[in-house]
Amino acid sequence: MNVTRRRLWATQLARHAAEDRELLRRATAERQAAEEALRSAKEREDLVALMATASGTALSKAEAWLSALDEPLAEGETSVPDPVAEACSQPRASVAAVIQDLLRLQVEATYAEIKDEVGKMRPDVKAENCARDLNRMVKRGILTRPRTGSYRLAVKESEPVRS
């Protein structure tokens, strides 16, 4: 083989190798996009399943309460039990649990969003005091601060980071 043919052959091989690397890069990017879409769909499915469970529970309790209103009172009974009073007497989720639930749904939240959620879920707690819980959770490695005023659940090294 003469030198010119060898150079032409080497040039063609280099071009084919570059084309194949580009095809591999595109295929990898497509696979990564599909995996991210699948992760997102699974998260959405989990959220909707949780919402459906909560709605079903609320519906069954409301139906039971309404059916109790339709039944005549037994001797000695003065009224139908109040579901609001019953709910207040049940144990509530801790502030830390409220924060973790919010961050599972939202991935990342600001201090203001967390404070609002704590205020809604735990009206008996002063929402401004949740900073203490946030600091404890960061120190224990449950939460991280990606930037000032923002929080997200700490991710184990084996778990992918969602942005």
Side-chain angles (χ1 to χ4, degrees), residues 69-162:
L69 288 175
D70 292 338
E71 295 174 6
L73 295 177
E75 273 187 53
E77 266 189 309
T78 57
S79 67
V80 176
D82 183 8
V84 175
E86 287 177 18
C88 290
S89 67
Q90 295 174 354
R92 295 178 179 241
S94 68
V95 173
V98 171
I99 293 169
Q100 284 180 312
D101 289 344
L102 172 68
L103 291 174
R104 279 189 194 102
L105 297 175
Q106 236 176 268
V107 179
E108 186 172 316
T110 64
Y111 175 75
E113 292 171 319
I114 292 170
K115 192 173 83 167
D116 291 342
E117 184 69 12
V118 169
K120 284 184 224 166
M121 299 302 291
R122 290 292 308 269
D124 59 324
V125 172
K126 232 180 175 178
E128 291 79 16
N129 293 342
C130 71
R132 179 180 43 131
D133 293 291
L134 287 167
N135 287 330
R136 283 183 188 154
M137 293 171 79
V138 169
K139 285 179 185 174
R140 290 182 181 157
I142 299 169
L143 300 180
T144 60
R145 287 187 183 113
R147 57 194 152 276
T148 306
S150 291
Y151 297 87
R152 67 173 30 191
L153 289 173
V155 179
K156 296 176 188 159
E157 289 182 16
S158 63
E159 295 177 10
V161 177
R162 294 176 269 153

